[in-house]
Amino acid sequence: MRTWHGVLDTLVRERRSRLVGYAYLLAGDRPTAEDLVHDAIIRTFSRARRLDDVNRAEAYVRRTILTQFLNRKSAQATARAKQHLLVERDAAPADEHAGEHDAVVLALRELPARQRACVVLRHVEQLTTAETAAQLGVSEGAVKRYLHDAIAHMRETLGDLGFADPEEDRVTAVIPRRGAR
């Protein structure tokens, strides 16, 4: 059996749930997260790469999930811009009894794709600003701006987050960081 078969098997058995969790924070719903992970694994392992290490394979899959998420959001934005030509959208009522975790996920869902990606990469994946910028292919200044705007919007949505340090936010308190389980 080829080395990558073992890596694929290990990745799916041991790390799939973490990958789905990562995708869920980006996508905001479980079915889309599952689709993102499935598609990312297929894309990663269907290309001729030397994936003989599960950590390297996971990094490729995570990067593919992020890229697919951003591409889908772009396509969805185009479709939404034209949707008014077809039908009227009904506004979904907000669930006032959702727990803190659900409230944060809902607030994340309201953010534009790049802002959401920055929040997830910086505060959940614990990447530095430079690493986040490299992952997204933007400047560090752009990441800082996306984060500033995202946190400001989340503060408006979630209310006072109760942290004295302005760098802290409810995301890190409510959603477990990578490896914190």
Side-chain angles (χ1 to χ4, degrees):
M1 181 161 82
R2 293 186 178 161
T3 306
W4 69 266
H5 286 141
V7 171
L8 174 60
D9 184 53
T10 302
L11 182 75
V12 171
R13 258 187 307 103
E14 297 177 6
R15 303 199 180 176
R16 184 178 174 281
S17 62
R18 286 195 321 209
L19 291 169
V20 170
Y22 171 69
Y24 176 78
L25 291 175
L26 292 169
D29 68 88
R30 178 104 182 168
T32 304
E34 295 273 356
D35 288 346
L36 283 170
V37 171
H38 180 264
D39 293 348
I41 289 172
I42 289 173
R43 286 179 184 262
T44 300
F45 284 91
S46 66
R47 311 249 173 155
R49 290 191 183 92
R50 301 194 90 212
L51 295 174
D52 51 3
D53 174 48
V54 74
N55 292 326
R56 188 167 168 226
E58 182 181 5
Y60 266 105
V61 171
R62 282 179 179 273
R63 176 63 186 169
T64 305
I65 289 168
L66 178 62
T67 300
Q68 287 180 257
F69 167 72
L70 293 173
N71 289 344
R72 281 184 182 190
K73 290 310 265 184
S74 176
Q76 288 170 350
T78 301
R80 270 194 309 275
K82 296 177 183 177
Q83 184 178 15
H84 72 281
L85 300 172
L86 301 174
V87 295
E88 286 187 37
R89 256 172 44 180
D90 294 333
D95 183 8
E96 294 178 333
H97 302 291
E100 286 184 343
H101 181 272
D102 292 339
V104 171
V105 170
L106 289 172
L108 278 171
R109 216 181 266 168
E110 294 175 2
L111 296 174
R114 293 237 180 233
Q115 287 181 14
R116 185 183 325 172
C118 283
V119 170
V120 170
L121 292 173
R122 182 73 178 95
H123 294 288
V124 178
E125 293 294 310
Q126 298 179 325
L127 298 181
T128 64
T129 303
E131 291 168 335
T132 301
Q135 281 283 321
L136 293 172
V138 298
S139 69
E140 288 183 45
V143 169
K144 290 176 184 177
R145 186 69 206 173
Y146 287 139
L147 286 170
H148 177 269
D149 292 346
I151 299 303
H153 177 77
M154 290 180 76
R155 282 200 168 113
E156 285 178 21
T157 302
L158 298 172
D160 182 20
L161 298 174
F163 290 99
D165 182 0
E167 292 298 313
E168 276 295 328
D169 57 73
R170 181 66 70 179
V171 174
T172 57
V174 176
I175 297 177
R177 292 178 177 214
R178 183 176 176 193
R181 292 184 187 232

